[in-house]
Amino acid sequence: MVALTSPATWRGDELIDVSGAPLATYSAPDSSLDVTGATPITVAHTAGAMRWEVSGTTTAGETWSVRTHGFGVRVLTARCGSRTYRLERAGYMTKKRTVTDLATGAIIAETSPRGLDNLAVTPTAAAFAAPLADIAFMSWALTLIDTPARQTLR
């Protein structure tokens, strides 16, 4: 399993590490998220009056999702195969989030918008236990809701 061990940033369609090396790449023509050391994930996005969701399927048949529950976007839930997470904004007036592994209760990463369409992803000490693919998928979904230039729902 490959894990995120240092800060990374979504710039355009790439999640890059501090040295500029790509860790994940989103390909719009085939709606595919390719992550280092992982099976590609076919991604779909749905937004409606009371619903916002990014879903994915791997070639191995695993289903993945990040979605809203209820009226707001402050707390999102994610499922990456059998693993579950909570993606929660730090407050009502910020778009910074913590990503919590619900199996352990540990915060594995923090995200924060940078500029109009970049999203910084900072792993915590507990991030070694989460696959890079999970963090890449969840953070890609967050670019669609927390970065102003990509925003699909406030």
Side-chain angles (χ1 to χ4, degrees):
M1 174 190 78
V2 177
L4 183 64
T5 58
S6 63
T9 303
W10 276 104
R11 287 197 184 129
D13 290 338
E14 288 188 319
L15 179 63
I16 57 171
D17 67 13
V18 292
S19 71
L23 300 171
T25 304
Y26 175 74
S27 173
D30 59 359
S31 299
S32 177
L33 182 63
D34 296 315
V35 182
T36 300
T39 304
I41 305 164
T42 302
V43 180
H45 172 250
T46 322
M50 296 295 290
R51 179 184 165 140
W52 181 93
E53 179 178 8
V54 174
S55 58
T57 306
T58 67
T59 54
E62 280 189 316
T63 57
W64 299 40
S65 65
V66 175
R67 62 177 56 145
T68 58
H69 288 281
F71 295 107
V73 297
R74 185 172 177 266
V75 178
L76 305 174
T77 58
R79 178 173 294 279
C80 301
S82 62
R83 299 163 304 281
T84 55
Y85 302 92
R86 181 178 61 244
L87 295 72
E88 186 171 5
R89 284 189 176 164
Y92 289 100
M93 301 303 288
T94 182
K95 293 186 179 181
K96 293 180 182 180
R97 289 188 190 266
T98 57
V99 179
T100 304
D101 181 336
L102 293 180
T104 64
I107 294 173
I108 60 166
E110 296 175 342
T111 65
S112 180
R114 297 284 186 255
L116 293 177
D117 63 355
N118 296 335
L119 185 78
V121 183
T122 306
T124 66
F128 72 90
L132 172 60
D134 291 13
I135 294 175
F137 176 77
M138 291 183 288
S139 61
W140 171 252
L142 292 177
T143 68
L144 301 175
I145 204 162
D146 288 342
T147 59
R150 300 184 201 214
Q151 214 164 43
T152 61
L153 179 68
R154 295 182 191 272

